[in-house]
Amino acid sequence: MKLYLIRHPRPEVEKGLCYGDMDVPLADGWEKGAKALKNALSIDFDGEANVCFHSPLTRAAQLAEHISDGRSHVASALKELDFGDWEGRRWQDIPKQEIDLWAEDIVHASPYRGESLQVVADRVWQWWLSVKDAPMENCVLVAHSGVIKVFVSMLCQWPLDQCHRIDVGFSSVTELSVQGDFVMLKRLGAGDWVSA
């Protein structure tokens, strides 16, 4: 199967805001990019061979519903990392010592009293194990930067503590080929579908 991991479009939030699993709206004009992405994917979701799943957060759900003509399935496991006490705060206003504590053990630490990266990885992986053997030609996931980074790391067997090095821009597409336990990364965080 072809597996497409798509990050939601840019949300309407203050620059530098920590918004993790906050439900924030998309910025005006997101539909134009969504139309270009839908045309570039050129996947017909009328049937069982092609399936779309999305995070329950509005910024992912709206894009998924658009590109799948309303045939996308909610998967709560695809929700972004919960930053707990940091949610809704500007990154620059979070005490440096708290960020340093997180950086010391980015996989397991959660000084913000939310989810650790490992918790996100575990929930995403358990969900994947529950759906990966379904007969799909194309599987599209519309989710978030953190989810895509940990998922790619697990699929490619890369160290989870290095997933922050993966660049997943807004509306980017990461494409993998999955045949049983064999996974091949085709493109990572690409935005090359955008028309000039």
Side-chain angles (χ1 to χ4, degrees), residues 18-33:
C18 175
Y19 56 90
D21 77 345
M22 284 176 58
D23 203 7
V24 295
L26 288 173
D28 288 343
W30 68 270
E31 298 92 342
K32 182 179 179 184

Side-chain angles (χ1 to χ4, degrees), residues 165-179:
R165 296 176 186 270
I166 300 172
D167 185 13
V168 182
F170 293 113
S171 299
S172 66
V173 178
T174 296
E175 180 183 350
L176 302 104
S177 175
V178 179
Q179 301 298 323

